[in-house]
Amino acid sequence: MYTHLQRDVSRPPVTLATLARMKADGEKIASLTCYDASFAVLLDSADVDVVLVGDSLGMVIQGHDTTVPVTMDQMAYHSSMVARGLHRPFLVADLPFMSYPTKELALANSVRLMQEGGAQMVKLESGGKQTEIVEFLASHDIAVCAHLGLKPQSVHKTGGFRVQGREREMAVRLVDEAKRLETAGADIVLLECIPATLGKTITAELHVPVIGIGAGPDTDGQILVTYDILDITTGRKPRFVRNFMDGASSNLDALQRYVRAVKQHEYPAAEHCF
Ligand code: KIV
């Protein structure tokens, strides 16, 4: 049964200032996705720094083929459950598909994720037109994570879950978009499925922390889908996934191994990179 984490003053909550300090000190940021309170308690106990209530819940929890069917109500609901299980990690929640087509809707839905969902930051799949939305949210003092590279909400348009930025023109565009998003006020940039060399370039160009998933070892932090690293996900897994249950004595042990591997620069290894 889920029991609420006891508040622990010796483990102060992670804030954006903590993450900025980690980038400056070269300490890697360990992040994972989460969708409920029981897992939230485990992730907190494992000392995960950043927890994301990802719209990947559409695939992982709901069994859809993509993240497109996920609604705002569902994101707010899952985020509120995760928030109740956390004390130390910084909580980020995804704005789902078409919840930010205009500045006004983006603001209203970000407020919902923060007020109903307990999120400290919202994440949106960005670039192009969304840069103005990032700027608008930032001007209202909302902490924003801009997601670049492979954008799962756009898979029907882009033709599937594919590595982005392999061609020079696209790589240059991604570096430019990352810089524009930082200038617009993004507090974190998340890079998904891009070549490791491009992950390194973007991380070096930006002042804000950069967290990667399949973006190589040189980003400031790593994020993975918790169900993938605990070997709960069935079927073929992406190249960047490592099974941390291998040799682990429990789920908590596996999560602690993940955090240690990220902090000690052991994950991702060459075989996890593009
Ligand atoms: O929704 C999600 O879980 C994500 C991660 C893959 C970064 O966006």
Side-chain angles (χ1 to χ4, degrees), residues 97 128 133 142 154 163 183 214 227 251:
F97 178 66
I133 289 172
I142 290 178
S154 310
V163 180
T183 305
Y227 282 45
N251 288 330

Side-chain angles (χ1 to χ4, degrees), residues 32-35 52-60 67 75 94 123 125 147 150 152-153 190-192 211-213 223-226 240:
L32 283 171
T33 64
C34 192
Y35 316 106
L52 169 70
V53 184
D55 60 357
S56 52
L57 71 86
M59 301 165 81
V60 176
T67 60
M75 287 307 305
D94 264 338
K123 175 163 86 58
E125 297 184 8
H147 183 149
L150 170 58
Q153 291 172 13
L190 186 144
L191 301 174
E192 179 164 355
I211 296 180
I213 175 164
I223 186 162
L224 285 172
V225 171
T226 298
F240 51 77

Side-chain angles (χ1 to χ4, degrees), residues 12 21 101 121 130 137 143 156 164-165 258 274:
R21 199 250 321 134
M121 166 177 269
Q130 290 82 35
L137 295 179
H156 295 311
Q164 304 291 306
Y258 166 73
F274 300 109

Side-chain angles (χ1 to χ4, degrees), residues 91-102:
L91 179 57
V92 185
D94 264 338
L95 283 164
F97 178 66
M98 279 303 144
S99 65
Y100 49 99
T102 64

Side-chain angles (χ1 to χ4, degrees), residues 156-217:
H156 295 311
K157 181 86 174 166
T158 55
F161 296 92
R162 295 220 180 93
V163 180
Q164 304 291 306
R166 283 199 201 272
E167 317 72 23
R168 193 178 143 63
E169 193 186 327
M170 181 60 163
V172 169
R173 201 168 94 204
L174 284 173
V175 176
D176 184 55
E177 284 184 342
K179 288 204 239 174
R180 281 174 198 266
L181 286 161
E182 178 178 71
T183 305
D187 302 281
I188 293 181
V189 169
L190 186 144
L191 301 174
E192 179 164 355
C193 271
I194 60 169
T197 47
L198 182 55
K200 182 175 181 173
T201 303
I202 294 176
T203 306
E205 289 279 347
L206 299 192
H207 301 99
V208 296
V210 176
I211 296 180
I213 175 164

Side-chain angles (χ1 to χ4, degrees), residues 51-266:
V51 168
L52 169 70
V53 184
D55 60 357
S56 52
L57 71 86
M59 301 165 81
V60 176
I61 305 290
Q62 300 173 335
H64 294 295
D65 289 336
T66 73
T67 60
V68 171
V70 178
T71 66
M72 258 315 295
D73 283 350
Q74 292 164 351
M75 287 307 305
Y77 172 67
H78 281 275
S79 186
S80 69
M81 292 192 283
V82 172
R84 284 194 283 276
L86 295 184
H87 166 57
R88 180 181 170 274
F90 190 66
L91 179 57
V92 185
D94 264 338
L95 283 164
F97 178 66
M98 279 303 144
S99 65
Y100 49 99
T102 64
K103 293 175 182 175
E104 292 71 23
L105 261 176
L107 181 60
N109 285 324
S110 299
V111 170
R112 276 197 72 189
L113 287 180
M114 295 174 76
Q115 291 190 327
E116 290 174 41
Q120 290 154 310
M121 166 177 269
V122 299
K123 175 163 86 58
L124 64 156
E125 297 184 8
S126 315
K129 184 175 179 297
Q130 290 82 35
T131 307
E132 284 169 30
I133 289 172
V134 169
E135 189 167 27
F136 188 67
L137 295 179
S139 76
H140 287 78
D141 287 340
I142 290 178
V144 179
C145 173
H147 183 149
L148 269 183
L150 170 58
K151 296 188 278 188
Q153 291 172 13
S154 310
V155 286
H156 295 311
K157 181 86 174 166
T158 55
F161 296 92
R162 295 220 180 93
V163 180
Q164 304 291 306
R166 283 199 201 272
E167 317 72 23
R168 193 178 143 63
E169 193 186 327
M170 181 60 163
V172 169
R173 201 168 94 204
L174 284 173
V175 176
D176 184 55
E177 284 184 342
K179 288 204 239 174
R180 281 174 198 266
L181 286 161
E182 178 178 71
T183 305
D187 302 281
I188 293 181
V189 169
L190 186 144
L191 301 174
E192 179 164 355
C193 271
I194 60 169
T197 47
L198 182 55
K200 182 175 181 173
T201 303
I202 294 176
T203 306
E205 289 279 347
L206 299 192
H207 301 99
V208 296
V210 176
I211 296 180
I213 175 164
D218 297 304
T219 53
D220 301 308
Q222 299 292 330
I223 186 162
L224 285 172
V225 171
T226 298
Y227 282 45
D228 288 347
I229 70 162
L230 294 182
D231 205 26
I232 297 169
T233 310
T234 51
R236 194 171 147 263
K237 295 190 191 67
R239 178 187 171 96
F240 51 77
V241 171
R242 178 169 144 192
N243 174 10
F244 283 87
M245 279 307 283
D246 224 359
S249 58
S250 64
N251 288 330
L252 179 58
D253 184 34
L255 296 170
Q256 288 168 330
R257 282 166 182 248
Y258 166 73
V259 172
R260 232 176 7 250
V262 170
K263 300 272 176 194
Q264 294 176 357
H265 302 214
E266 286 164 7

